[in-house]
């Protein structure tokens, strides 16, 4: 049942229908030193949803701990509406890019683009719809070769969100609300180096400064704190620092087969799981190891792998519990070893 117990206390059914039509048209103009791209993109997305809830109201009110024993009562805990509405959202977005070639395989560029995410209705609330989300993106970057054996992609970017949409739990209901403005400033660098014919290194770093603008909200878990100003709080699932490093070494065997040793390490700094920044995952590093054998004619391939070789404990996902009024997370995979065998015909 909906509350996770053996009793038939929460009964719910949901009927959803979605129709989507998209069409994209691009025009490319090539000149000796200039390339122009013009495009049109059209999308029509129609969604209808009917949700019905039959569930008891917690006797202690809002919020309710997830371990609370529900009792059958002939009342409704979640507010629902019997309504039929038609709402249309439309937007015209644009994108412009300037690119300058430094050499045959290197260039610098600058771009500005706009994005749009339609608004909608919170399924379980009899409230006005939440507004569309819009974003303006600025990006400056470099793509190409630093040296004969090293390629680099680097970008400096800024995203300015208006009416940023946030999925929240209010009481015991999951709803989408507008969080006002949000800003993401970042730097991303990715590189690949061919150290030798056998050894390849890939490495990268991402730096983020992602914060909410003015955003007043009430935490359903701690309603006694009242309305809180969340301006300056960090966006969810946005680590300030992400670093990745990969090593790939391939050696030839006497039989003509190849043996590849591959190691990857990924580091993420602290991640926040809610807009209130009260729940977070400390920094962690995941290391994956692979040993790959491939036959000379490339028809047979086997891979022995170890995921999360250091058996790091970390939370990979975090969700809000609407029916329990609480929060729950999901642990990432522990150390996992396995073997794959592939045959090509």
């Amino acid at each position: 049942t909906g509350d996770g117990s053996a009793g038939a206390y929460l009964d719910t059914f949901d009927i959803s229908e979605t129709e989507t039509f998209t069409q994209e048209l691009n025009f490319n103009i090539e000149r000796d030193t200039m390339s122009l791209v013009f495009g049109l993109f059209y999308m029509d997305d129609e969604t209808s949803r009917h949700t019905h809830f039959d569930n008891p109201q917690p006797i202690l009110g809002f919020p309710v701990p997830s371990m609370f024993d529900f009792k059958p009562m002939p009342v409704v805990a979640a507010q629902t509406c019997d309504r039929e509405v038609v709402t249309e959202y439309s937007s015209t977005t644009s994108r412009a890019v300037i690119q300058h070639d430094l050499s045959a395989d290197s260039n610098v560029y600058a771009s500005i683009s706009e994005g749009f995410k339609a608004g909608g209705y919170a399924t379980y609330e009899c409230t006005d719809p939440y507004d569309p989300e819009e974003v303006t993106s600025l990006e400056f970057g470099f793509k190409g070769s630093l040296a004969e054996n090293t390629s680099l992609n680097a970008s400096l970017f800024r995203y300015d969100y208006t009416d940023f949409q946030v999925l929240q739990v209010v009481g015991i209901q999951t709803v989408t609300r507008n969080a006002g403005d949000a800003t993401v400033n970042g730097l991303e660098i990715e590189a690949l180096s061919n150290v030798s014919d056998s050894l390849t290194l890939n490495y990268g770093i991402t730096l983020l400064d992602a914060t909410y603008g003015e955003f007043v909200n009430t935490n359903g878990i701690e309603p006694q704190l009242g309305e809180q100003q969340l301006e300056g709080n960090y966006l969810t699932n946005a680590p300030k620092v992400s670093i990745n490093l990969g090593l790939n070494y391939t050696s030839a065997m006497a039989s003509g087969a190849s043996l590849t040793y591959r190691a990857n390490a990924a580091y993420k700094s602290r991640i926040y799981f809610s807009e209130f920044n009260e729940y977070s995952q400390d920094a962690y590093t995941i290391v994956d190891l692979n040993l790959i054998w491939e036959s000379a004619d490339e028809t047979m391939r086997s891979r022995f792998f170890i995921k999360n070789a250091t058996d790091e404990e970390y939370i990979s996902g975090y969700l809000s519990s609407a029916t329990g009024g609480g929060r729950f997370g999901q642990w990432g995979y522990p150390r996992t070893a396995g073997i794959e065998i592939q045959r090509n015909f």
Side-chain angles (χ1 to χ4, degrees), residues 76-292:
V76 179
Q79 180 184 9
T80 58
C81 288
D82 183 11
R83 64 183 175 185
E84 182 175 340
V85 295
V86 177
T87 305
E88 295 184 359
Y89 298 98
S90 63
S91 176
T92 300
T93 59
S94 59
R95 184 172 188 264
V97 180
I98 298 175
Q99 176 181 308
H100 176 67
D101 292 335
L102 301 175
S103 64
D105 54 4
S106 299
N107 67 78
V108 291
Y109 66 91
S111 70
I112 179 171
S113 57
E114 298 174 317
F116 173 82
K117 185 177 181 181
Y121 288 84
T123 306
Y124 311 124
E125 284 195 316
C126 301
T127 59
D128 294 332
Y130 52 88
D131 295 327
E133 174 185 297
E134 297 181 351
V135 61
T136 300
S137 169
L138 299 173
E139 183 175 351
F140 304 91
F142 168 87
K143 292 183 179 181
S145 300
L146 285 183
E148 184 177 351
N149 66 336
T150 299
S151 60
L152 174 73
N153 293 333
S155 64
L156 185 67
F157 55 88
R158 177 183 176 89
Y159 300 149
D160 283 318
Y161 291 91
T162 302
D163 291 323
F164 190 69
Q165 294 175 5
V166 178
L167 185 65
Q168 301 176 289
V169 169
V170 179
I172 64 169
Q173 301 177 94
T174 303
V175 299
T176 301
R177 295 282 176 82
N178 293 109
D181 299 334
T183 302
V184 178
N185 296 310
L187 171 65
E188 184 174 34
I189 300 174
E190 296 179 341
L192 175 68
S193 295
N194 296 313
V195 180
S196 66
D197 293 338
S198 301
L199 179 61
T200 301
L201 296 177
N202 63 276
Y203 39 94
I205 183 171
T206 301
L207 306 178
L208 290 178
D209 177 39
T211 56
Y212 291 105
E214 185 173 349
F215 181 21
V216 178
N217 194 17
T218 300
N219 190 342
I221 296 298
E222 298 178 307
Q224 71 277 8
L225 299 179
E227 291 188 341
Q228 302 180 50
Q229 174 57 261
L230 306 182
E231 183 175 3
N233 279 16
Y234 225 71
L235 266 60
T236 59
N237 299 308
K240 292 184 177 180
V241 180
S242 300
I243 300 173
N244 64 80
L245 175 64
L247 180 150
N248 200 84
Y249 181 81
T250 302
S251 61
M253 305 176 69
S255 62
S258 64
L259 197 61
T260 300
Y261 305 86
R262 181 180 300 165
N264 297 283
Y267 165 85
K268 289 186 177 181
S269 62
R270 181 182 297 272
I271 299 174
Y272 292 101
F273 293 127
S274 84
E275 64 271 26
F276 298 95
N277 286 184
E278 80 277 48
Y279 298 113
S280 64
Q281 163 67 57
D282 291 337
Y284 64 94
T285 301
I286 301 298
V287 177
D288 297 329
L289 304 174
N290 297 268
L291 178 61
I292 303 170

